[in-house]
């Protein structure tokens, strides 16, 4: 018999149904105290143990079980769950946008790129407008961000086998991978488009009252401007996907580092 110790009802049910379908007998505990009581009364061949639980955490439960039993214990931790990763990477995307916005604002209005002797902006050829700089910096940052998202949510789980149980129940492996890829693509496109728009707005609002070191090079009152933002965001994220898969097929040890070099070298 297998003891399942998991307070997340949906995950608990999924694991239990899968094990029963494979012919195993199971017993359930939804908190640490209940798990210890069951472990004291019964003998189990295997324990599936969650770490983050109410009333008693999983590590404490494991120590108590170990005082009386040598039953194999498999940890099912939610500390490294997809929701935690998504929240962290979402904050990362926000931080990228904020840092770029502050940097580009200082570039445009505070003269941080001006030559100290002449006061003339010291820029590379073709970088004389803020639109060019916004596109270059946001695209480069989000190429890497997209690759990291794909590596974390799709490639790494598929390679290291941590989702083998999920792939067997109740949806086929290909369907799960496709849905994860679509979710990453939509999130990255939306984050990039919103980020670009926010940065352009920050640069546009003070343009009538502050002296500019660089020409803006864009018109936020034009409908074509927003269509261009959407199209460029889609193209950038899609290029990140393509470059990442090229790196993955090449068995590159750090495939998430390839997109910026493939697209901007």
């Amino acid at each position: 018999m297998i003891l399942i110790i998991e307070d997340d009802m949906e995950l608990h049910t999924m694991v239990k149904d899968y094990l029963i379908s494979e012919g195993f007998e199971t017993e359930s505990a939804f908190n640490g105290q209940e798990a210890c009581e069951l472990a004291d009364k019964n003998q189990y061949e295997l324990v599936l143990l969650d770490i983050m639980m109410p009333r008693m955490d999983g590590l404490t439960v494991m120590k108590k079980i170990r005082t009386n039993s040598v039953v194999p214990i498999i940890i099912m931790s939610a500390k490294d769950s997809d929701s935690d990763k998504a929240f962290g990477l979402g904050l990362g995307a926000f931080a990228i946008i904020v840092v770029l916005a502050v940097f580009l604002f200082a570039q445009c209005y505070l003269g941080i790129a001006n030559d100290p002797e002449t006061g003339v902006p010291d820029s590379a050829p073709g970088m004389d407008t803020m639109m060019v700089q916004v596109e270059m910096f946001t695209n480069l940052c989000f190429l890497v961000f997209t690759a990291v998202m794909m590596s974390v949510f799709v490639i790494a789980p598929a390679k290291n086998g941590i989702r083998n149980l999920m792939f067997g129940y109740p949806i086929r492996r290909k369907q799960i991978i496709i849905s994860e890829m679509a979710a990453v693509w939509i999130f990255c496109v939306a984050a990039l488009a919103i980020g670009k728009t926010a940065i352009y707005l920050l640069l546009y609002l003070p343009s009538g009252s502050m002296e500019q070191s660089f020409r803006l090079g864009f018109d936020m009152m034009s409908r074509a401007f927003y269509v261009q933002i959407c199209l460029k965001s889609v193209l950038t994220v899609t290029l990140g996907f393509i470059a990442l898969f090229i790196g993955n097929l090449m068995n590159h040890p750090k495939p998430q580092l390839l997109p910026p070099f493939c697209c901007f070298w």
Side-chain angles (χ1 to χ4, degrees), residues 11-72:
L11 178 58
H12 193 120
T13 302
M14 184 188 75
V15 174
K16 181 177 180 177
D17 289 349
Y18 176 79
L19 291 173
I20 291 175
S21 70
E22 293 295 319
F24 296 99
E25 295 183 3
T26 67
E27 198 158 19
S28 300
F30 297 94
N31 59 68
Q33 184 174 337
E34 183 181 2
C36 289
E37 292 174 357
L38 288 173
D40 289 338
K41 296 177 182 178
N42 306 309
Q43 295 292 325
Y44 299 100
E45 284 74 37
L46 177 67
V47 173
L48 302 179
L49 175 63
D50 182 26
I51 295 296
M52 305 292 289
M53 290 189 301
R55 304 180 70 174
M56 187 185 299
D57 66 87
L59 295 178
T60 303
V61 173
M62 185 166 57
K63 291 177 182 178
K64 289 183 175 295
I65 293 176
R66 277 287 173 260
T67 58
N68 301 316
S69 173
V70 292
V71 59

Side-chain angles (χ1 to χ4, degrees), residues 142-157 159 177 180-181 184-185 188 235-263:
F142 269 84
L143 277 169
V144 178
F145 181 78
T146 298
V148 172
M149 288 279 288
M150 279 290 291
S151 296
V152 169
F153 290 105
V154 181
I155 294 177
K159 280 188 172 181
I177 293 178
E180 289 175 333
M181 290 174 58
V184 170
W185 187 88
C188 290
L235 179 61
T236 298
V237 173
T238 303
L239 285 174
F241 269 53
I242 294 171
L244 179 63
F245 279 111
I246 291 174
N248 189 51
L249 291 174
M250 293 169 57
N251 293 319
H252 194 281
K254 296 286 185 181
Q256 65 268 29
L257 299 181
L258 289 182
F261 294 100
C262 291
C263 299

